[in-house]
Amino acid sequence: DMVSTTLMATKAPIVIAPAMNTNMLENPVTQDNLDDTISPDEDVRVIIVMDGDSVVSANSAAVYSNDTAAQMEEIKAAQDKVIADIEETALDGDDLTVSYQYSWLVNGVAATVPYGKLSDIESVDGVDKVVMQTVYEPCSTDETTFSNIVYPRTISDGQMIGREDTWAQGYKGEGMKIAIIDTGLDTDHQNFAALPDEVLTDTSLTQADIDGVLTSLNAYERYSGLTSADLYYNTKVAYGFNYVDNSLDITHDNDTEGDHGTHVAGIAAANKISSSEVIGVAPDAQLIVMQVFNPKGANWDTVMAALEDCVYLNVDTANLS
């Protein structure tokens, strides 16, 4: 399974329980349960889980603050020492190719290593386990298979779930931040235009808010010279980054695989506009667009990096469809 737990949509600060450390880390794929077809010299993508707690495993109610930021720096400093030991003892002096260092959801690093070195790395003092990364392939479906099946149109989904009843109670997503961890977004689509000022609240994400956590973001580590202006599109699309390609391109313009991310974002939060029947469940909510898929698929390190950045951005709910 991808992730069975989502971040709960509440007005309170985001809380991620230890269960968020995912099935992948609870039931890992290791050398013990793989066959011998992988060459010892073949590079594989892994997450090296360190001894010691992550921020959330030490305190499941933790929220991002100066104190937890300092705790994150301590965890990463300890990781740096273990990385140095791995390079010296397990990799014979070669550099460990690290793509991400995690400290909030899990105490570990994502890396690319020779398959034959997994056991050596796992034996280094300070390493708990080495987990093979989960890889998600793009879905390929023969459309003719479903040619005789009639499905309800997505435009009717709101009525099915009682969306209008919720609106009548005054809830249309004001102040909520929804992360779409998917294939990106058609950023110039009419249903994702800027929100009017009157639906913004003190919990809405601003460019200044991004500035306040910018250097903590995994996106910042992956894109040289990244600024909050690069990430902030407008009051509706308050954040956008391409984690799989380490770029600012989150559009579907160069993607022949389809526009799934836009479809999901529209269901969640498409704006109500007079020229379109389309409207999301929470039309006044903001979107945090985190692209983790490209035509080649997705790897767990980018998904985990996006989820950690959700914490720093105080996201209310994250969707991984």
Side-chain angles (χ1 to χ4, degrees), residues 132-178:
M132 295 281 285
Q133 283 194 40
T134 305
V135 178
Y136 305 104
E137 300 292 342
C139 187
S140 177
T141 303
D142 180 0
E143 293 182 2
T144 60
T145 304
F146 305 102
S147 59
N148 296 321
I149 302 176
V150 178
Y151 291 104
R153 295 179 64 204
T154 305
I155 200 168
S156 67
D157 64 355
Q159 296 171 352
M160 286 189 269
I161 65 171
R163 176 184 62 187
E164 285 77 3
D165 294 336
T166 305
W167 293 347
Q169 298 299 314
Y171 298 104
K172 293 186 178 180
E174 298 94 333
M176 304 296 286
K177 299 171 286 294
I178 303 173

Side-chain angles (χ1 to χ4, degrees), residues 3-311:
V3 174
S4 58
T5 308
T6 59
L7 316 186
M8 299 304 294
T10 68
K11 293 288 186 181
I14 190 170
V15 176
I16 301 182
M20 198 61 193
N21 286 354
T22 77
N23 295 337
M24 193 260 320
L25 297 182
E26 297 298 331
N27 302 290
V29 178
T30 62
Q31 279 182 300
D32 293 338
N33 46 27
L34 288 177
D35 57 31
D36 298 326
T37 58
I38 302 178
S39 166
D41 296 328
E42 182 177 341
D43 283 340
V44 293
R45 297 172 70 148
V46 299
I47 292 181
I48 302 171
V49 182
M50 306 295 186
D51 290 332
D53 289 332
S54 66
V55 173
V56 79
S57 59
N59 178 11
S60 62
V63 295
Y64 188 72
S65 65
N66 289 337
D67 289 341
T68 52
Q71 187 180 353
M72 288 161 54
E73 290 303 315
E74 291 177 4
I75 291 171
K76 289 181 178 180
Q79 290 173 358
D80 288 339
K81 294 179 181 179
V82 179
I83 289 170
D85 288 343
I86 289 172
E87 292 173 337
E88 180 179 353
T89 62
L91 300 181
D92 303 318
D94 290 338
D95 290 338
L96 179 66
T97 305
V98 175
S99 53
Y100 293 104
Q101 287 183 252
Y102 310 113
S103 55
W104 192 281
L105 299 179
V106 62
N107 178 2
V109 301
T112 302
V113 300
Y115 180 70
K117 294 291 187 178
L118 266 61
S119 295
D120 293 335
I121 294 171
E122 198 164 62
S123 66
V124 172
D125 189 35
V127 174
D128 177 34
K129 56 188 171 184
V130 181
V131 178
M132 295 281 285
Q133 283 194 40
T134 305
V135 178
Y136 305 104
E137 300 292 342
C139 187
S140 177
T141 303
D142 180 0
E143 293 182 2
T144 60
T145 304
F146 305 102
S147 59
N148 296 321
I149 302 176
V150 178
Y151 291 104
R153 295 179 64 204
T154 305
I155 200 168
S156 67
D157 64 355
Q159 296 171 352
M160 286 189 269
I161 65 171
R163 176 184 62 187
E164 285 77 3
D165 294 336
T166 305
W167 293 347
Q169 298 299 314
Y171 298 104
K172 293 186 178 180
E174 298 94 333
M176 304 296 286
K177 299 171 286 294
I178 303 173
I180 307 296
I181 302 177
D182 211 289
T183 66
L185 184 78
D186 184 356
T187 54
D188 58 3
H189 193 287
Q190 58 186 350
N191 286 100
F192 304 119
L195 291 170
D197 290 343
E198 57 263 28
V199 304
L200 301 177
T201 74
D202 57 2
T203 60
S204 298
L205 185 69
T206 66
Q207 186 176 330
D209 293 331
I210 298 175
D211 259 329
V213 298
L214 181 66
T215 57
S216 295
L217 297 174
N218 287 307
Y220 183 82
E221 296 293 329
R222 303 298 291 171
Y223 191 91
S224 178
L226 187 67
T227 68
S228 60
D230 295 325
L231 298 168
Y232 189 84
Y233 282 72
N234 58 37
T235 52
K236 180 66 174 184
V237 184
Y239 179 97
F241 188 73
N242 183 331
Y243 289 82
V244 65
D245 298 316
N246 300 318
S247 79
L248 300 175
D249 181 10
I250 60 170
T251 71
H252 298 302
D253 293 348
N254 303 310
D255 181 1
T256 60
E257 296 297 313
D259 52 4
H260 186 265
T262 294
H263 182 69
V264 171
I267 293 172
N271 293 351
K272 179 176 176 57
I273 56 177
S274 59
S275 59
S276 172
E277 291 183 86
V278 174
I279 181 169
V281 173
D284 292 340
Q286 291 181 303
L287 292 170
I288 311 300
V289 180
M290 297 172 156
Q291 183 174 343
V292 298
F293 266 94
N294 64 15
K296 296 180 181 178
N299 286 278
W300 185 251
D301 57 351
T302 53
V303 176
M304 183 73 79
L307 284 170
E308 284 209 332
D309 283 357
C310 284
V311 176

